C-alpha cells in the first residue's frame, strides 16, 4: 500500500546543513513534495520534484531523489533559526481524477545557536 | 492570484454539540478540495476530497461529513462531536488535472478542541 515514512525529529546548530530524509512505497508516484509547517499554521509548499529527476536545487534547498530506493531527501544549507518547523514529505499519484497526496508524519527541525 | 480562506481559526466545543467548518477558494474554478486532520504530534490524515460540486469522497469512516454546495466552498460538519474529534483541521485545494505539479495549497487551519 501507500506509505511515507520520515524520522520525527532533527536538531542542528545554526549555520550547519540540515538533511531530512523520507522513504515512500508507491513506485507510480509522479511528483514528490516537501512542505513546511510553522507552529499553529497551515502547510506551505517548499519545493517539489518530478519523479524522473534526480536532483533539484532552489536557493538554500536541495532535493535528492533516489527512485530505485524510493528515497527522498531535503537539504537546507546554512540553517537558520527561522527554519525551525515541521517538514512534511509527500508523494503524489494521479488517480481517480485528482492528485492524491500521501504525507509522512513530519520531521520536527530544531535549530539551536 | 488564488487564495484559500478557512475559518474559524480556533474553536472550543462541548461534546455532543454540532460542528461546521468552512473553507473557500478564490481566484480559480473547479478546484479539487480536501479536508485533512492533524492530531497532536501526528501526521496528516485525509478525511474527504471533492473533485466537483456535490461530489464527496470519504477516505476514512468517522463522525464527520463534508459538503460542497458551491464550486469553491467546502464544509466540514458533524452532528455530535466526540472528544476524539479534537485536532487541527486543514483545508486544501489543487488545480484539478492540470495542477499536479504544484501539489496542494493549504489554508491556515482550524484548531478544534472538544471538551
Amino acid at each position: 500500500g501507500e506509505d511515507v515514512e520520515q524520522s520525527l525529529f532533527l536538531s542542528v546548530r545554526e549555520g550547519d546543513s540540515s538533511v531530512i530524509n523520507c522513504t515512500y512505497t508507491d513506485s507510480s508516484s509522479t511528483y514528490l513534495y516537501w512542505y513546511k509547517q510553522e507552529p499553529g499554521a497551515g502547510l506551505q509548499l517548499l519545493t517539489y520534484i518530478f519523479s524522473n529527476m534526480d536532483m533539484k536545487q532552489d536557493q538554500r534547498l536541495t532535493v535528492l531523489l533516489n527512485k530505485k530506493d524510493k528515497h527522498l531527501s531535503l537539504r537546507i544549507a546554512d540553517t537558520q533559526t527561522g527554519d525551525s518547523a515541521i517538514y512534511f514529505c509527500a508523494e503524489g499519484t494521479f488517480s481517480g481524477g485528482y492528485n492524491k497526496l500521501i504525507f509522512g508524519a513530519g520531521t520536527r527541525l530544531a535549530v539551536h545557536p | 492570484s488564488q487564495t484559500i480562506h478557512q475559518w474559524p481559526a480556533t474553536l472550543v466545543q462541548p461534546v455532543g454539540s454540532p460542528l461546521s467548518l468552512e473553507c473557500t477558494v478564490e481566484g480559480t474554478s473547479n478546484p479539487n478540495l480536501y479536508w485533512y486532520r492533524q492530531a497532536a504530534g501526528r501526521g496528516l490524515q485525509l478525511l474527504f476530497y471533492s473533485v466537483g460540486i456535490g461530489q464527496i469522497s470519504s477516505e476514512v469512516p468517522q463522525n464527520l461529513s463534508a459538503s460542497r454546495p458551491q464550486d469553491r466552498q467546502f464544509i466540514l460538519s458533524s452532528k455530535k462531536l466526540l472528544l476524539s474529534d479534537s485536532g487541527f483541521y486543514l483545508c486544501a485545494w489543487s488545480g484539478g488535472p492540470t495542477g499536479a505539479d504544484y501539489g496542494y495549497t493549504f489554508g491556515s487551519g482550524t484548531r478544534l478542541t472538544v471538551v
Side-chain angles (χ1 to χ4, degrees):
Chain A
E2 307 146 333
D3 194 18
V4 177
E5 293 191 359
Q6 50 184 130
S7 54
L8 295 182
F9 189 75
L10 177 66
S11 177
V12 299
R13 190 186 304 272
E14 190 175 12
D16 288 351
S17 292
S18 308
V19 179
I20 303 172
N21 294 301
C22 168
T23 58
Y24 61 98
T25 57
D26 191 345
S27 58
S28 64
S29 297
T30 50
Y31 289 91
L32 295 123
Y33 306 84
W34 284 104
Y35 282 84
K36 177 183 181 182
Q37 184 183 34
E38 297 184 356
L43 273 68
Q44 172 194 3
L45 178 65
L46 277 181
T47 187
Y48 63 90
I49 186 169
F50 190 45
S51 59
N52 69 354
M53 295 172 64
D54 298 324
M55 185 183 83
K56 180 177 180 180
Q57 187 152 3
D58 184 2
Q59 299 182 342
R60 292 191 298 123
L61 305 179
T62 303
V63 178
L64 295 178
L65 175 61
N66 181 329
K67 194 172 182 180
K68 174 176 172 290
D69 295 338
K70 299 188 184 67
H71 182 267
L72 183 74
S73 67
L74 173 70
R75 178 177 180 270
I76 306 173
D78 187 23
T79 311
Q80 303 297 307
T81 55
D83 295 323
S84 295
I86 301 176
Y87 291 81
F88 289 91
C89 168
E91 61 170 348
T93 306
F94 201 72
S95 78
Y98 80 107
N99 185 23
K100 182 177 183 179
L101 262 60
I102 303 296
F103 288 86
T107 299
R108 185 178 295 275
L109 174 65
V111 183
H112 57 87
Chain B
S1 63
Q2 302 94 352
T3 56
I4 179 168
H5 303 280
Q6 188 179 342
W7 69 92
T10 307
L11 194 58
V12 180
Q13 291 283 100
V15 168
S17 64
L19 173 74
S20 180
L21 302 181
E22 189 161 344
C23 173
T24 58
V25 180
E26 296 178 359
T28 187
S29 59
N30 197 30
N32 291 336
L33 297 170
Y34 312 87
W35 278 111
Y36 279 85
R37 176 168 60 202
Q38 184 179 21
R42 302 186 65 180
L44 296 167
Q45 180 185 37
L46 178 62
L47 302 176
F48 301 95
Y49 69 91
S50 172
V51 299
I53 295 175
Q55 300 178 59
I56 308 295
S57 296
S58 174
E59 285 289 300
V60 292
Q62 58 208 304
N63 183 43
L64 302 167
S65 62
S67 61
R68 185 171 177 174
Q70 300 180 46
D71 181 44
R72 290 168 288 178
Q73 183 185 30
F74 205 23
I75 298 172
L76 183 69
S77 305
S78 173
K79 291 182 181 177
K80 289 186 178 182
L81 283 169
L82 306 172
L83 286 174
S84 58
D85 292 323
S86 294
F88 192 53
Y89 289 82
L90 290 158
C91 179
W93 76 273
S94 68
T98 61
D101 53 345
Y102 295 111
Y104 297 175
T105 301
F106 283 85
S108 54
T110 296
R111 172 76 57 192
L112 171 66
T113 304
V114 182
V115 296

